Amino acid sequence: MKKSVDLVMFDLDGTLADTGHDLADSVNFTRGHFNLPPLPAPAVYANVGRGVEHLLKHSLPDAGEANFRAIMRVFLERYESHLLDRTVLYPGVAEVLRYFRGKRRAVVSNKIHRLTEAVLQGLGVAAEFDAILGGDSVAEKKPHPAMLQSVLQQFHIAPANALIVGDGDTDIEAGKRAGVITCGVTYGLGNQDALRAARPEFTIDSLVALSDYFC
């Protein structure tokens, strides 16, 4: 029997959109700017999902803390100009958004809000969402539950009637701390071992499988 939900919250990077190539390209552009060799893409993906500060501090640890403001500036200038070069929606996203059209739908991403909006606009799906929150929309990023709690409060929805879908352990931890139903996706950028260790209530290999469990 399918579980009825009133709100579906989606992570962005690695859940709705494959942003990995463009993130890795911009990280390696930034490393090159500071005379550092490029990283293999999977090494960059391992640091995606906890916000830009985490991504850069762990992708350029040898660039020095004193340079961090410059590192951030170089990265953001590059990424904002190239965030849709190779970024695409994962298979089934449009179908799933149609399936949940009668429900509240939100994006809860640790990505900076303006970049989250830009990616969703560029991919043609921004209008599908009732709320779009980024890592700077509330005081704390995931795995803190603040972002999810903000959406629940905005739409006056009980946690038991809400679902978060994400590829990272941060999404699952945030969901558990907010008291919502948690669903992990295995196709994204997140570490699958960490995702499974976070023990989501549901795990799916394709986003379209959401319709097998929820309505």
Side-chain angles (χ1 to χ4, degrees), residues 19-208:
T19 57
H21 295 297
D22 291 331
L23 286 167
D25 287 348
S26 292
V27 164
N28 282 327
F29 175 88
T30 306
R31 284 182 62 87
H33 181 89
F34 290 95
N35 300 310
L36 298 170
L39 294 173
V44 178
Y45 301 164
N47 296 314
V48 173
R50 294 178 181 268
V52 66
E53 297 90 350
H54 179 95
L55 173 65
L56 295 178
K57 285 178 179 177
H58 286 77
S59 297
L60 290 91
D62 33 12
E65 184 71 27
N67 289 330
F68 190 71
R69 184 169 298 200
I71 290 168
M72 180 82 82
R73 175 181 54 77
V74 172
F75 173 81
L76 289 176
E77 286 178 359
R78 171 71 178 187
Y79 185 54
E80 289 197 67
S81 301
H82 295 272
L83 48 72
L84 291 166
D85 286 1
R86 291 197 283 170
T87 288
V88 294
L89 293 173
Y90 283 110
V93 169
E95 178 183 341
V96 167
L97 292 177
R98 285 195 299 271
Y99 177 79
F100 287 112
R101 190 159 279 172
K103 312 292 184 173
R104 294 290 190 181
R105 296 159 300 167
V107 171
V108 286
S109 174
N110 279 345
K111 200 182 203 78
I112 294 171
H113 180 260
R114 71 176 187 275
L115 302 181
T116 302
E117 286 264 14
V119 169
L120 293 169
Q121 290 283 358
L123 296 175
V125 294
E128 294 288 337
F129 297 101
D130 301 289
I132 298 171
L133 278 71
D136 52 343
S137 297
V138 295
E140 300 283 350
K141 296 179 177 66
K142 298 174 295 183
H144 194 283
M147 199 181 305
L148 284 62
Q149 291 167 337
S150 176
V151 179
L152 292 169
Q153 292 166 7
Q154 179 179 348
F155 297 119
H156 306 288
I157 291 172
N161 296 325
L163 166 69
I164 184 170
V165 185
D167 69 314
D169 58 311
T170 54
D171 303 306
I172 305 309
E173 183 179 340
K176 287 180 178 292
R177 292 171 69 182
V180 307
I181 304 163
T182 57
C183 180
V185 301
T186 62
Y187 56 79
L189 302 173
N191 181 289
Q192 287 196 30
D193 291 337
L195 176 69
R196 294 182 189 280
R199 302 185 68 178
E201 293 164 75
F202 298 85
T203 304
I204 56 177
D205 299 324
S206 169
L207 198 63
V208 295

